[in-house]
Amino acid sequence: MSDVIKLKKGLDIRLQGKAETVFAQIPLPELFAIKPSDFKGLTPKMVAKVGDKVQAGSVLFFDKQHPEVKFVSPVGGELVAVNRGDRRVITEIVVKADSKAAPIDFGKSDPAAMSRQQVVDKLLESGAWTYFKQRPYNIVANPTAEPKAIFVSTFDSAPLAPDYDFIVSTNEEFFQKGLDVLSKIAPVYVGTHNNGCSKAFSGAKCEKVTAFEGPHPAGCVGVQINHTNPINAGEKVFTIQPQEVVTIGKLFATGVHDFTRVVVLCGSEMKKRAYVKTILGAQLTTMVNGNLADGHVRLISGNVLTGTQVQPDGYLGYYDSQLTAIPEGDEYEFMGWAAPGFNKFSASRTFFSWLTGKKHEYKLNANTHGELRAFVVSNEMEKVFPMDIYPEHLIKAIMAEDIDKMEQLGIYEVVEEDMALCEFVCTSKIAIQKTLRNGLNLMMKEVG
Amino acid sequence: MNALRNFLDNVKPKFQEGGKFAKFRSTFGAFETFLFTPNETNKCGVHVRDAVDLKRTMIVVVLALMPALFFGMYNTGYQHFRMTGELADVTFWQIFFKGFLAVLPIIVVSYVVGLAIEFASAQMRGHEVNEGFLVSGMLIPLVMPADVPLWMVGVATAFAVIFGKEVYGGTGMNMWNPALLARVFLFFAYPTKMSGETAWYYNYSAEAAVDGFSGATPLAMANAGNYTSFADAFFGLIPGSVGETSAVAILIGAFILLYTGVASWKTMLSVFVGGIAMGWLFNTCGSAENPMAQLPWYNHLVYGGFCFGAVFMATDPVTSARTEGGKFIYGFLIGAMAIVIRVLNPGFPEGMMLAILLMNTFAPLIDHFFIQANINRRKKRVTIKA
């Protein structure tokens, strides 16, 4: 039986638009893209050129700092565009799929019979290494780093998040196979929820399985790390998501890097909410055309707390398994601060929505509901941040660019998603995630 | 509402950069956001945000002050007619209206002076006008004696807003509670108008007062060995600053603050615990000669500004300790210090104001120890492993 850790702090945002656990059939789009902006601090160096024929698994570009980290094409076809943004930064590398192109065969292999280096090399060669994120900083893992552990959170507690029990249910043996591969690199820690989770998760064979109970962010891998084996200064850990573990399992079992991803379409403005099978980096058109409500809609690759805003003809984020549609909310509200606010969601009871009960689901929009102010209210972030860290003081240290203080207050242990709820509840509307990223970038530059 | 919105949209360009009235951008912004919650959407980080903002938070506090304000108006009228000896001849509404006439000008002066300075300094710095003064502007009248000259309210408010808040950078940056600064400024600059036996009565004059009238507050009387009963002080028809007399009205406000989650129960509770502990200590070990030391501990809680300070002043998040553990210590010391000042220093009958300002000063130090403990815990984790 695994350990159970009960977390009290946190907040479940009761958002309308949860998807049912059924699969909907949708056609695959023609275009697929990798967006270098999905990888923090990465400078891409192109290998393939526009017009090149690629296979699923062909290298598109590599990391300038770590040339051995290769990013590969998720589909076979032709590289049709390298889109650039401000200052000629590469924004999208677009591949047009050709169903006839066969994927590259990386060869079956048994991790048990391989050395750690052989496993790493195979992951690097196939492009699957990019699934590992390294903490501190939440960057693509450095292949020469020696992480003290690899953490997998097998549930997502964010609003409307995908149900990994459901997604992985058809691939349970590959999940374990993937964990076996991971165990070659470092001890693997699995975090599960404590509500009848899949046997593949609770019975996973690895260093340690820990069950977590409580509201969001219990499913955030950073919170789980903090409660099982916290990161100290100088230490590194890797994190990886369940679907990516399955992909790695399949890679070793079949030799093919299978980029299939299950994505949940959700949110109050998504008409048909369901799970769909698609491929990493898919263009969103086939998922959202005719599927969005009228009016000004915001489409988010990921969840409402940490996702990235995308256009309906944009592409799915590299690490995302969720596509959320909410109203944009760019309208004025007459004396909104004085209204009783029965339909307004707040962690405080300053609006009368507490009268509507604990089950009521809210249709939230992207309005800021107020203007930027200095820190005034205390203890609101602490209530939704289940780590032994003072969030407000950490953020203030970052604003002051005080590197010693940032380090002492535990910046190594957090990344944006762990503090997203702090940003949600902040009365003063401070950009916590952006500030934290600035702090992490500063640490990367100064400390490395 | 659409007509109003259209009007604002029409004139808005004039107040923006390059417009005719660009200098008054902050003022326009303040009125616009007062009328309409902005249409701004999240650009980075989270896509949805909690509905609460600083305007809402502040308005909840103002709402929580209303019972104390209305009771204070009634009590001001009541005390006035008690002084003139006409209590038996006036109706409830006449009493209330008298108090209303006395208190309203103080509120108006406080808001007009304070907001004018707030707007001007926001204008000068090109900032948005902050909401903090909505609460301070209501707190100031409630901690004033009813007969305070209006010009003094104006001077004190100006002092508090300029030197208590704006010089530090505005709402959220101040060290001391601005409303208490206003009171302490008057207390030391014009002591005769802020204490004694006559300041608490609207339009007091020796001729108007009935023969043999004594106007001392419960604290002053306790100093002389006469204790006002707990029940009288609890309900609050006693002389004192406008809003501080009725524990009942203040506790209604406390309930609103705690239920909405705006104020910290930790601070509030520990102020009372600190007051009780220190009051009890003096009751058991204090000098028998000192009538204040022998004042029962429960009476301390309802006399003077103890309740009002505990509920509305100590809980100000900006000037209080910001760590959760720190709040217990901060609150406890406020309660304890208030009683110590009352008992041991008869020169200052009201210890609450000074205790809160003193602990405001020490709040960052208290936080420092809690944060340092957190840092040490993190360091220790490494050494245990090594």
Side-chain angles (χ1 to χ4, degrees):
Chain A
M1 193 52 211
S2 56
D3 293 351
V4 180
I5 293 177
K6 287 182 184 159
L7 302 174
K8 286 211 181 92
K9 292 175 170 186
L11 176 69
D12 284 324
I13 302 169
R14 299 191 299 275
L15 207 56
Q16 263 180 28
K18 197 163 178 56
E20 286 189 44
T21 42
V22 288
F23 276 107
Q25 297 297 325
I26 55 148
L28 282 178
E30 266 204 322
L31 299 179
F32 296 83
I34 305 289
K35 296 182 278 188
S37 60
D38 286 341
F39 316 101
K40 303 283 181 213
L42 175 102
T43 316
K45 209 75 183 144
M46 291 302 297
V47 173
K49 288 188 286 293
V50 175
D52 283 1
K53 296 276 181 229
V54 293
Q55 288 174 278
S58 301
V59 180
L60 293 177
F61 63 94
F62 61 85
D63 177 356
K64 196 177 166 190
Q65 278 97 37
H66 303 287
E68 62 274 34
V69 178
K70 299 176 184 101
F71 296 80
V72 300
S73 173
V75 289
E78 186 190 340
L79 179 63
V80 289
V82 176
N83 297 330
R84 289 170 187 270
D86 293 344
R87 297 200 285 170
R88 307 219 5 102
V89 167
I90 298 174
T91 53
E92 290 161 347
I93 295 142
V94 187
V95 177
K96 189 171 178 185
D98 175 0
S99 54
K100 282 176 285 208
I104 293 182
D105 188 356
F106 294 100
K108 290 180 201 172
S109 41
D110 177 15
M114 295 165 81
S115 71
R116 180 179 189 273
Q117 195 53 46
Q118 283 171 324
V119 169
V120 173
D121 287 343
K122 177 154 181 150
L123 290 171
L124 285 168
E125 189 204 345
S126 61
W129 181 265
T130 54
Y131 298 139
F132 289 117
K133 288 209 214 170
Q134 180 180 317
R135 292 195 184 214
Y137 310 137
N138 212 27
I139 49 177
V140 174
N142 177 353
T144 58
E146 303 243 336
K148 71 165 176 174
I150 299 175
F151 287 86
V152 187
S153 170
T154 62
F155 71 108
D156 189 342
S157 51
L160 311 178
D163 177 356
Y164 286 122
D165 293 326
F166 175 66
I167 292 178
V168 177
S169 58
T170 50
N171 284 312
E172 291 185 348
E173 72 278 24
F174 290 121
F175 182 77
Q176 182 55 49
K177 187 103 189 166
L179 290 183
D180 296 342
V181 176
L182 266 46
S183 300
K184 274 288 185 183
I185 298 170
V188 177
Y189 289 70
V190 169
T192 68
H193 64 81
N194 197 25
N195 193 12
C197 87
S198 158
K199 277 277 182 303
F201 297 153
S202 60
K205 288 188 275 300
C206 60
E207 178 78 14
K208 193 173 180 195
V209 178
T210 314
F212 290 86
E213 236 181 77
H216 186 59
C220 276
V221 68
V223 172
Q224 301 180 356
I225 297 171
N226 182 270
H227 284 271
T228 45
N229 191 352
I231 307 169
N232 300 308
E235 291 178 340
K236 292 185 174 72
V237 304
F238 290 174
T239 66
I240 187 165
Q241 303 186 80
Q243 292 211 65
E244 296 154 358
V245 176
V246 169
T247 303
I248 289 178
K250 278 188 189 164
L251 172 70
F252 279 73
T254 64
V256 173
H257 190 163
D258 176 9
F259 291 89
T260 307
R261 289 287 183 279
V262 175
V263 175
V264 62
L265 309 181
C266 58
S268 59
E269 305 307 283
M270 194 73 81
K271 282 188 200 155
K272 191 168 166 51
R273 302 171 200 136
Y275 289 74
V276 295
K277 269 200 181 118
T278 183
I279 287 174
L280 188 110
Q283 192 172 32
L284 304 176
T285 40
T286 57
M287 294 181 230
V288 298
N289 277 359
N291 199 13
L292 295 180
D294 298 334
H296 201 171
V297 172
R298 175 177 290 212
L299 197 59
I300 302 157
S301 175
N303 64 56
V304 290
L305 293 175
T306 60
T308 327
Q309 187 174 1
V310 283
Q311 298 307 317
D313 60 350
Y315 302 90
L316 191 68
Y318 199 82
Y319 299 102
D320 297 333
S321 324
Q322 186 176 2
L323 192 63
T324 316
I326 57 170
E328 180 73 18
D330 53 345
E331 60 248 341
Y332 293 96
E333 189 194 352
F334 182 65
M335 295 252 218
W337 55 271
F342 292 107
N343 55 354
K344 289 192 173 167
F345 183 80
S346 175
S348 69
R349 289 207 195 87
T350 48
F351 291 92
F352 284 100
S353 46
W354 53 266
L355 284 171
T356 55
K358 291 220 154 116
K359 289 264 159 65
H360 185 79
E361 290 183 338
Y362 296 83
K363 182 172 174 173
L364 299 187
N365 58 33
N367 194 291
T368 53
H369 303 297
E371 295 172 296
L372 182 66
R373 293 289 182 260
F375 281 110
V376 170
V377 180
S378 63
N379 192 35
E380 48 181 3
M381 296 195 201
E382 284 85 346
K383 277 185 193 158
V384 295
F385 186 62
M387 295 196 202
D388 186 20
I389 289 175
Y390 284 109
E392 180 192 318
H393 296 90
L394 175 60
I395 292 296
K396 283 181 175 170
I398 296 172
M399 287 171 166
E401 302 196 340
D402 182 343
I403 292 184
D404 288 341
K405 257 280 143 56
M406 279 149 65
E407 199 175 318
Q408 291 172 347
L409 289 172
I411 193 171
Y412 291 130
E413 300 180 50
V414 288
V415 302
E416 290 97 316
E417 63 169 13
D418 305 322
M419 294 191 82
L421 267 179
C422 296
E423 187 172 4
F424 173 83
V425 296
C426 182
T427 302
S428 301
K429 313 292 176 192
I430 291 166
I432 304 288
Q433 295 187 74
K434 191 181 174 191
T435 310
L436 179 59
R437 178 41 62 187
N438 291 344
L440 291 170
N441 286 345
L442 187 68
M443 293 294 291
M444 248 194 294
K445 211 173 101 199
E446 301 288 330
V447 185
Chain B
M1 288 320 109
N2 275 340
L4 186 60
R5 184 65 244 169
N6 289 340
F7 169 73
L8 285 174
D9 285 337
N10 276 337
V11 296
K12 200 172 182 175
K14 290 187 189 159
F15 289 95
Q16 280 163 345
E17 204 120 348
K20 207 166 159 188
F21 306 114
K23 265 191 275 178
F24 297 102
R25 193 169 50 202
S26 302
T27 310
F28 177 79
F31 282 110
E32 190 198 3
T33 56
F34 174 83
L35 287 170
F36 291 95
T37 311
N39 64 347
E40 223 171 285
T41 55
N42 295 304
K43 294 293 183 289
C44 63
V46 291
H47 295 273
V48 293
R49 275 186 184 270
D50 197 293
V52 71
D53 68 344
L54 211 50
K55 276 195 180 60
R56 184 74 180 188
T57 309
M58 294 298 174
I59 228 69
V60 169
V61 183
V62 172
L63 203 72
L65 283 166
M66 286 301 117
L69 173 70
F70 288 127
F71 187 89
M73 285 176 171
Y74 178 79
N75 187 43
T76 300
Y78 182 88
Q79 297 301 332
H80 170 82
F81 288 117
R82 193 170 72 84
M83 176 216 25
T84 58
E86 298 169 304
L87 258 188
D89 315 323
V90 286
T91 64
F92 174 87
W93 289 109
Q94 278 172 315
I95 295 175
F96 183 81
F97 191 64
K98 193 71 171 176
F100 179 78
L101 284 185
V103 176
L104 188 66
I106 308 181
I107 297 178
V108 172
V109 169
S110 152
Y111 270 120
V112 168
V113 173
L115 285 178
I117 296 171
E118 284 269 344
F119 273 71
S121 59
Q123 212 67 81
M124 272 159 53
R125 294 197 211 128
H127 283 186
E128 282 145 352
V129 179
N130 281 348
E131 292 84 1
F133 196 75
L134 287 180
V135 170
S136 305
M138 186 52 78
L139 283 172
I140 289 173
L142 292 181
V143 295
M144 292 291 161
D147 206 30
V148 65
L150 292 179
W151 64 269
M152 274 170 40
V153 177
V155 172
T157 305
F159 172 82
V161 175
I162 296 173
F163 293 102
K165 200 157 96 174
E166 293 307 327
V167 290
Y168 297 102
T171 304
M173 315 284 190
N174 47 314
M175 280 285 292
W176 295 284
N177 187 314
L180 277 183
L181 272 189
R183 193 179 198 282
V184 85
F185 173 80
L186 291 184
F187 186 80
F188 287 114
Y190 308 97
T192 54
K193 297 280 184 191
M194 291 298 288
S195 50
E197 298 206 352
T198 62
W200 321 104
Y201 303 93
Y202 177 53
N203 281 345
Y204 180 86
S205 67
E207 299 85 62
V210 286
D211 291 342
F213 173 74
S214 158
T217 61
L219 277 173
M221 294 202 308
N223 239 330
N226 296 324
Y227 301 154
T228 310
S229 81
F230 178 83
D232 285 351
F234 187 74
F235 289 108
L237 285 175
I238 50 172
S241 297
V242 172
E244 72 177 18
T245 60
S246 169
V248 178
I250 293 166
L251 289 178
I252 296 171
F255 176 77
I256 296 175
L257 289 183
L258 293 180
Y259 193 74
T260 53
V262 168
S264 163
W265 63 268
K266 290 171 186 154
T267 313
M268 229 183 259
L269 177 77
S270 29
V271 175
F272 282 107
V273 171
I276 291 169
M278 195 47 82
W280 178 81
L281 197 69
F282 277 118
N283 285 173
T284 45
C285 332
S287 145
E289 320 278 276
N290 183 348
M292 283 305 279
Q294 291 311 317
L295 178 68
W297 56 266
Y298 44 86
N299 278 8
H300 266 300
L301 307 185
V302 291
Y303 282 14
F306 193 94
C307 244
F308 193 83
V311 172
F312 294 109
M313 298 292 194
T315 54
D316 167 13
V318 175
T319 54
S320 113
R322 294 188 71 89
T323 53
E324 289 311 284
K327 284 177 183 167
F328 285 115
I329 294 180
Y330 165 84
F332 186 88
L333 289 177
I334 287 180
M337 283 304 294
I339 305 299
V340 168
I341 296 172
R342 277 182 182 180
V343 172
L344 298 183
N345 193 335
F348 298 120
E350 183 46 282
M352 196 60 185
M353 160 183 83
L354 298 171
I356 294 175
L357 288 172
L358 182 73
M359 292 320 295
N360 281 173
T361 315
F362 284 108
L365 184 68
I366 298 171
D367 282 345
H368 172 81
F369 287 115
F370 279 88
I371 291 165
Q372 208 52 46
N374 178 279
I375 290 171
N376 291 340
R377 271 202 298 284
R378 193 163 292 110
K379 275 202 189 122
K380 214 164 150 195
R381 218 163 62 192
V382 185
T383 35
I384 287 171
K385 275 201 68 188

